[in-house]
Amino acid sequence: MSLQNEPLTPLEGYAETAYRADDIPEQSYAPQNEMLRGRILETRLPWGSYLGVNPTTYQYSESWFQEYEYIGDDYHDHTMINEGRWSQYVDENLGAIYRICRFLLFLYSHGFSFILPGGRRAGGGVIFTSIAIFACLIVTIGQLFVEEPQFPFVLLGVPLSVTALCGFATLILYFWEKYELRFYKSNRNWTDELAFCRRTGIVKTSNGDFHFYEFDAYIEMTVGTQGSQFHSLKVIHRYPHRSQLPHTKHPLEFSFTVDGSIAQLYAAWDMLQRYMDVSQPLPDIPQVEPFRHLDPTTKAYDEAGKRGRPAAYWRDLYANSSAEELKALREAHRVEVDSAAWGGRPDLMELSVPNYRETRKGEPEDVNAFGRFPWKAGEFVDRPDSAPPSEEVANRQNNDDTAR
């Protein structure tokens, strides 16, 4: 992975409010957010100091190419991320009754099908049919111990009915997966009204518009009913008195879902920052590749030959690679994300928020170990002091610009 030794200068096409890591304005004191009490926010992720590593979920998306091929020319408006906005909400032109019926159909097809989506693992239908057959066998065996055994032929209807029920669910799931994109293109529209907007540096919400630099990223842990732990990335507004959701005490926040270790959550935050930072090219991920020429900074970056990849690199990779080859690339990328040096980086926001260092959360002494073996991560430690923005930007890494 090569270094980007010089910060890019964005061309015309961005608003004055567009976010730049080297030009974050001075902000007010960060209040102690009482609304976050009771939540297990294990660490607050640092601003700046990009590593240029994208999460595997976005770098090697299993559904991306299928959507891209089917949607075709309309992909720009029907995808979650384009060169201008990273949408956070799907606006469906559907009635409430239709939504309820679709939800029930989804539960039935995905819960009773013999296979799970993708056809790789057995689904609930196998369990239900097995139970029905087992019950029938138990009753049949019980007849061997009576004086006049009679096979209860009526019981055959139970496993046959369950098999038919689950078989029909499997059929529905098959057509669901095959034609879901048709529904997606016709009825689902990623809205621009609830999104992270690159050209303006604004996060648009139903509760007002806010600057991107007013948010902080946390790793939140939730505990399941059986003691299992789940981690997620939460991007939470730093000033809740300006953005508290109406009729609730919940802060304004967004969730980002990625698969794998905690290091993947660090990578997701790294990618979101680079997406919003107009001094950086767009993250080199498949979803935004078709729109790189529409973003001024990215266009200049690519035309200067700094990307180091053909214009249709991801499209051709997915079109010409087998499922096994993509799986191998995906697993290799997971290793790369987990081995990146996520820990020990300064937090650029300390230079803009007076009490930011005092209100922050520490990070695991060994982030990578925490991602794989939380019990071996050691204690939580403070980050080093942040360097001036000019030095910070000069040492950023390019976003995965070496072709594999």
Side-chain angles (χ1 to χ4, degrees):
M1 187 180 301
S2 62
L3 294 176
Q4 178 182 322
N5 295 318
E6 297 181 1
L8 295 174
T9 302
L11 307 176
E12 295 182 0
Y14 302 112
E16 293 184 1
T17 56
Y19 171 72
R20 290 179 55 107
D22 60 349
D23 190 27
I24 303 177
E26 185 174 342
Q27 300 169 71
S28 59
Y29 281 79
Q32 293 291 342
N33 193 346
E34 296 296 327
M35 290 184 288
L36 298 180
R37 291 186 178 274
R39 299 172 61 174
I40 308 176
L41 301 176
E42 295 196 308
T43 185
R44 187 174 69 194
L45 306 188
W47 283 86
S49 304
Y50 308 139
L51 295 190
V53 179
N54 304 312
T56 306
T57 302
Y58 289 85
Q59 195 83 46
Y60 292 99
S61 167
E62 295 183 358
S63 62
W64 167 78
F65 190 63
Q66 183 184 16
E67 294 181 359
Y68 174 75
E69 275 195 316
Y70 179 79
I71 297 175
D73 294 338
D74 296 330
Y75 182 67
H76 181 277
D77 296 328
H78 289 272
T79 183
M80 182 179 186
I81 313 172
N82 58 33
E83 86 290 348
R85 57 102 178 106
W86 187 324
S87 184
Q88 297 294 302
Y89 182 73
V90 173
D91 183 20
E92 295 184 304
N93 300 319
L94 302 171
I97 296 179
Y98 186 92
R99 292 172 187 260
I100 294 173
C101 292
R102 188 189 64 189
F103 176 71
L104 295 176
L105 183 65
F106 179 88
L107 288 181
Y108 168 59
S109 61
H110 288 63
F112 288 84
S113 173
F114 285 118
I115 57 174
L116 292 177
R120 299 177 182 177
R121 302 173 64 180
V126 175
I127 299 175
F128 297 135
T129 304
S130 300
I131 293 175
I133 294 175
F134 181 74
C136 186
L137 288 175
I138 291 296
V139 175
T140 302
I141 294 174
Q143 290 295 313
L144 299 177
F145 299 96
V146 299
E147 294 182 358
E148 298 181 0
Q150 293 182 349
F151 181 76
F153 289 98
V154 68
L155 284 181
L156 286 176
V158 176
L160 290 177
S161 299
V162 174
T163 301
L165 180 72
C166 296
F168 188 59
T170 305
L171 187 64
I172 293 177
L173 179 61
Y174 168 77
F175 285 107
W176 180 290
E177 290 191 306
K178 185 175 182 179
Y179 296 108
E180 181 186 10
L181 289 178
R182 187 181 301 278
F183 169 83
Y184 175 91
K185 184 176 179 181
S186 302
N187 299 285
R188 299 181 68 189
N189 301 286
W190 288 100
T191 178
D192 296 345
E193 301 304 317
L194 191 63
F196 288 77
C197 302
R198 173 177 169 90
R199 291 180 180 270
T200 62
I202 297 297
V203 180
K204 304 188 72 174
T205 78
S206 56
N207 201 32
D209 297 344
F210 304 94
H211 292 282
F212 175 60
Y213 52 73
E214 294 182 358
F215 289 78
D216 292 320
Y218 295 85
I219 290 180
E220 180 177 30
M221 184 186 76
T222 55
V223 181
T225 56
Q226 298 181 345
S228 54
Q229 297 180 2
F230 303 92
H231 293 87
S232 58
L233 175 64
K234 301 291 186 180
V235 179
I236 305 175
H237 192 242
R238 188 182 308 122
Y239 304 101
H241 58 285
R242 302 178 189 168
S243 60
Q244 181 176 343
L245 299 179
H247 313 300
T248 73
K249 293 184 178 181
H250 301 299
L252 176 62
E253 66 178 61
F254 297 91
S255 297
F256 290 83
T257 303
V258 295
D259 297 329
S261 66
I262 286 181
Q264 297 282 350
L265 301 177
Y266 273 78
W269 175 234
D270 192 277
M271 178 179 64
L272 178 61
Q273 288 183 86
R274 285 182 284 114
Y275 173 83
M276 292 296 290
D277 189 346
V278 297
S279 71
Q280 300 290 305
L282 289 167
D284 199 349
I285 57 177
Q287 293 91 326
V288 297
E289 182 180 64
F291 320 125
R292 292 181 66 89
H293 66 286
L294 300 177
D295 178 73
T297 298
T298 309
K299 181 180 179 181
Y301 181 84
D302 292 352
E303 289 179 347
K306 295 184 177 181
R307 184 189 182 196
R309 286 176 171 170
Y313 171 80
W314 290 112
R315 184 198 66 189
D316 295 343
L317 176 68
Y318 276 80
N320 301 319
S321 300
S322 65
E324 292 73 19
E325 290 172 331
L326 289 173
K327 181 180 179 181
L329 289 171
R330 188 177 300 114
E331 294 308 314
H333 188 265
R334 289 188 187 279
V335 174
E336 179 184 346
V337 174
D338 289 341
S339 61
W342 296 111
R345 295 177 297 152
D347 194 330
L348 186 64
M349 195 58 66
E350 292 179 1
L351 302 175
S352 301
V353 179
N355 65 329
Y356 199 70
R357 192 173 183 85
E358 288 74 21
T359 61
R360 73 181 183 176
K361 301 278 291 186
E363 70 175 355
E365 188 174 22
D366 187 340
V367 172
N368 299 319
F370 187 79
R372 296 187 296 273
F373 312 105
W375 55 91
K376 296 182 180 180
E379 60 184 11
F380 280 65
V381 296
D382 286 339
R383 295 189 178 93
D385 292 333
S386 181
S390 57
E391 298 178 20
E392 183 77 21
V393 175
N395 288 285
R396 289 182 194 145
Q397 292 184 349
N398 173 36
N399 55 320
D400 197 22
D401 64 350
T402 303
R404 295 188 180 86

